[in-house]
Amino acid sequence: EVSAVFANLPVGVADPAQRLAAVTRQLSSLKPSGMALGVDSMLNAAELLPGTLFAVCARAAARLPQRAISTMTTNVPGPRQPLYLLGRRMTELFPYIPIGSEIRITIGIASYAGRLTCGVTGDHDAVPDLQVLCDGIESATEELVAQVG
C-alpha cells in the first residue's frame, strides 16, 4: 500500500515529547483527510493505462521541475519475529530508499523483530552535511528513549 502525506516538521519545538505529540497530531489529522487516499487512487488508476502510455507519462512526470519536496521519509513495517536463511538468523534490517530526480535526501524507517532502524541516503553534492541530519535523528531518538525510561 502506497500513500503520501505532506507534513510540516515541528523543528522549533525543543521538548522531544511535545515534538512527537505535534507530529502525531498532525499526521493523525492528515491521514483521514483523503490526501493519502489520493495517491493510492492514482497508483491504482495507473494500472488501467496501457504500459507504453504509462511509461511515457512517468518519464514526463519525472522531468517536471518541482522544488517543494527535497526530502522523503517512509516507514516500512517489517516482521515482528526474526527471519532465518539457511539456519542463520537475520540480526538487523537496514532500510534503503534511493534518491531520484529532485529528491536529495531519503529516510527509511523500518521495524524488525522489536527493533527500529533508520537508513538515510543523500546526494553528497547537494547535501554535504548529511551527517548533521543523521546525528540529529540519533540524538532526538535518544532523548525520547530517555524520557520513556
Side-chain angles (χ1 to χ4, degrees):
E1 183 175 312
V2 176
S3 62
V5 292
F6 300 96
N8 295 314
L9 299 178
V11 294
V13 179
D15 180 77
Q18 290 177 3
R19 198 168 46 238
L20 178 61
V23 169
T24 301
R25 275 192 310 275
Q26 186 178 174
L27 293 178
S28 294
S29 69
L30 288 173
K31 288 179 183 177
S33 72
M35 185 188 302
L37 179 63
V39 173
D40 204 35
S41 297
M42 285 188 298
L43 289 171
N44 287 335
E47 293 176 8
L48 302 174
L49 292 176
T52 306
L53 180 58
F54 177 77
V56 168
C57 292
R59 277 198 235 50
R63 289 191 193 110
L64 290 174
Q66 110 20 65
R67 296 186 183 359
I69 303 167
S70 61
T71 303
M72 181 186 73
T73 303
T74 185
N75 64 311
V76 180
R80 294 181 180 180
Q81 66 283 347
L83 299 178
Y84 293 83
L85 179 64
L86 300 174
R88 303 282 184 170
R89 182 177 189 252
M90 183 169 97
T91 57
E92 294 180 282
L93 172 71
F94 295 98
Y96 167 71
I97 312 299
I99 58 174
S101 78
E102 299 299 316
I103 306 293
R104 306 320 320 148
I105 301 170
T106 60
I107 304 167
I109 305 166
S111 61
Y112 170 66
R115 298 191 65 179
L116 196 65
T117 56
C118 290
V120 180
T121 305
D123 176 352
H124 188 276
D125 292 337
V127 191
D129 59 349
L130 188 63
Q131 189 61 47
V132 173
L133 173 62
C134 296
D135 293 343
I137 291 170
E138 187 172 347
S139 65
T141 303
E142 289 170 355
E143 285 177 334
L144 278 172
V145 169
Q147 282 201 356
V148 171

